[in-house]
């Protein structure tokens, strides 16, 4: 479970990023959210909890999947994220969608409240062991579905991280590791890759089985992140949790780093002037026991 300090770090970061979060024009969170809803098998009429709902990448596809006869509840630690998601739900006329401020590490709902508990690019921030996922099992009805997605950590044992393009990985990783140390290990899974439950499909399966889940499935799929310039890729990262890394770098050094990252990525343009960065995403689903 995340510490008070790490929770405060997440709160500040995502409140600050909320206005631009997932709004850069670069498709990332929304296709992951749509795929997670599909992968989770959420059905019409279901009651769904979206943990760390952000600007609604899972919330709105889930609302479509359950239909007006179902229910989707989104929770997020950031008041700003919740504000924007609530406004979007209202504008879309989705009366079966509710969003509220709540710490996703400790959801305050009755046991057996939901048919499905999902979380895209959120749970990996704080989950480190079976103890951290067991609260989601408790929220599920018998036979209910748990599903989550995260940038793949399968390569972290080799000093790489899925969100960094190969061309800039060695350039950015020292800054990411320093940011983790300064922040009290926000996203600490990378800081201690060997102990990361997401490091292999087998460790994922063991963690969820130890928490009491059954019928566990793990799939890694590539998502192409498409930009027209290295500068646009950097701008995109500012609309994600990577913003925390950039903001810890002294201004003049940051300008030089951004220029070099942009230059390296610009060399990857294809004949159409497009840069396509493949980002591996891990999709995980499991069930609560039926009895």
């Amino acid at each position: 479970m995340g510490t008070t300090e790490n929770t405060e770090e997440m709160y500040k970061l995502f409140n600050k990023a909320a206005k631009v979060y997932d709004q850069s024009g670069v498709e990332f969170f929304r296709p992951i959210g749509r795929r997670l809803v599909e992968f989770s098998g959420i059905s019409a009429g279901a009651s769904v909890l979206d943990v760390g709902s952000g600007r609604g990448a899972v919330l709105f596809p889930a609302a479509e999947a359950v239909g007006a006869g179902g229910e989707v509840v989104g929770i997020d630690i950031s008041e700003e994220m919740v504000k924007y998601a609530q406004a979007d739900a209202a504008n879309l006329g989705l009366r079966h969608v509710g969003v509220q401020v709540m710490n996703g590490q400790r959801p305050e709902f009755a046991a057996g409240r939901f048919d499905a508990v999902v979380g895209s690019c959120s749970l990996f921030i704080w989950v480190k062991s079976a103890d951290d996922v067991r609260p989601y099992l408790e929220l599920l009805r018998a036979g209910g579905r748990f599903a989550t997605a995260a940038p793949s950590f399968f390569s972290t044992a080799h000093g790489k991280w899925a969100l960094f393009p190969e061309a800039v990985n060695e350039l950015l990783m020292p800054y990411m590791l320093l940011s983790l140390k300064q922040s009290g290990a926000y996203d600490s899974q990378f800081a201690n890759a060997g102990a990361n439950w997401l490091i292999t499909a087998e460790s994922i399966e063991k963690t969820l089985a130890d928490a009491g889940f059954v019928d566990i499935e793990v799939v890694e799929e590539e998502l192409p992140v498409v930009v027209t310039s290295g500068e646009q890729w950097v701008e995109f990262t500012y609309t994600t949790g990577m913003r925390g890394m950039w903001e810890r770098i002294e201004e003049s050094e940051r300008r030089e780093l951004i220029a070099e990252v942009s230059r390296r990525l610009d060399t990857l343009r294809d004949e159409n002037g497009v840069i396509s960065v493949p980002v591996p995403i891990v999709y995980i689903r499991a069930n609560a026991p039926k009895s």
Side-chain angles (χ1 to χ4, degrees):
M1 191 69 69
T3 65
T4 301
E5 291 77 11
N6 289 347
T7 300
E8 182 68 15
E9 179 76 15
M10 285 188 285
Y11 170 77
K12 290 178 180 177
L13 176 61
F14 289 112
N15 253 352
K16 185 184 294 186
K19 185 176 181 178
V20 296
Y21 193 80
D22 204 17
Q23 307 299 304
S24 68
V26 176
E27 285 288 296
F28 184 71
F29 293 111
R30 279 172 284 189
I32 295 173
R34 291 191 296 267
R35 177 64 179 124
L36 180 61
V37 169
E38 176 187 56
F39 184 74
S40 68
I42 293 170
S43 58
S47 177
V48 178
L49 175 65
D50 179 12
V51 181
S53 51
R55 292 290 298 264
V58 169
L59 196 72
F60 299 120
E64 182 178 359
V66 304
E71 170 196 33
V72 182
V73 178
I75 60 173
D76 201 285
I77 197 172
S78 163
E79 291 101 337
E80 290 296 299
M81 290 286 195
V82 168
K83 179 184 73 175
Y84 286 111
Q86 286 175 333
D88 289 342
N91 290 336
L92 293 169
L94 298 176
R95 296 183 179 180
H96 61 300
V97 171
V99 194
Q100 57 187 285
V101 176
M102 188 180 293
N103 187 342
Q105 298 173 63
R106 295 181 289 275
E108 299 169 10
F109 297 100
R113 167 76 168 76
F114 297 100
D115 298 303
V117 175
V118 298
S120 180
C121 298
S122 57
L123 304 183
F124 81 94
I125 296 173
W126 61 79
V127 169
K128 299 178 180 64
S129 70
D131 289 341
D132 296 328
V133 289
R134 200 167 286 117
Y136 309 120
L137 176 65
E138 295 170 358
L139 295 177
L140 289 169
R141 295 167 184 154
R145 173 62 55 85
F146 170 77
T148 187
S152 177
F153 281 83
F154 290 175
S155 65
T156 53
H158 307 291
K160 300 177 182 178
W161 193 36
L163 281 180
F164 290 155
E166 182 73 23
V168 297
N169 182 78
E170 54 85 18
L171 188 63
L172 291 177
M173 276 314 308
Y175 293 98
M176 174 59 76
L177 292 174
L178 180 60
S179 176
L180 299 180
K181 182 177 180 180
Q182 291 174 337
S183 69
Y186 163 74
D187 198 8
S188 61
Q189 284 83 344
F190 188 89
N192 188 15
N196 183 356
W197 74 292
L198 293 167
I199 195 72
T200 64
E202 292 74 20
S203 62
I204 293 171
E205 292 165 2
K206 183 180 186 305
T207 299
L208 293 180
D210 288 348
F213 286 100
V214 298
D215 305 323
I216 302 158
E217 297 180 64
V218 181
V219 175
E220 185 184 53
E221 299 177 0
E222 278 195 352
L223 171 71
V225 174
V226 179
V227 295
T228 57
S229 69
E231 183 179 0
Q232 188 184 30
W233 183 84
V234 172
E235 291 173 353
F236 152 68
T237 66
Y238 264 87
T239 71
T240 74
M242 282 190 279
R243 178 179 184 142
M245 175 193 74
W246 290 115
E247 291 186 343
R248 283 188 168 83
I249 304 172
E250 191 274 327
E251 185 176 356
S252 62
E253 184 178 1
R254 183 169 66 239
R255 285 198 302 268
E256 292 177 3
L257 180 62
I258 288 173
E260 179 60 17
V261 168
S262 299
R263 185 194 68 77
R264 292 190 187 189
L265 293 180
D266 283 343
T267 66
L268 304 179
R269 282 197 181 98
D270 64 18
E271 63 275 10
N272 298 312
V274 169
I275 303 166
S276 183
V277 179
V279 177
I281 305 295
V282 170
Y283 297 91
I284 304 162
R285 62 188 175 197
N287 294 332
K290 291 184 178 179
S291 60

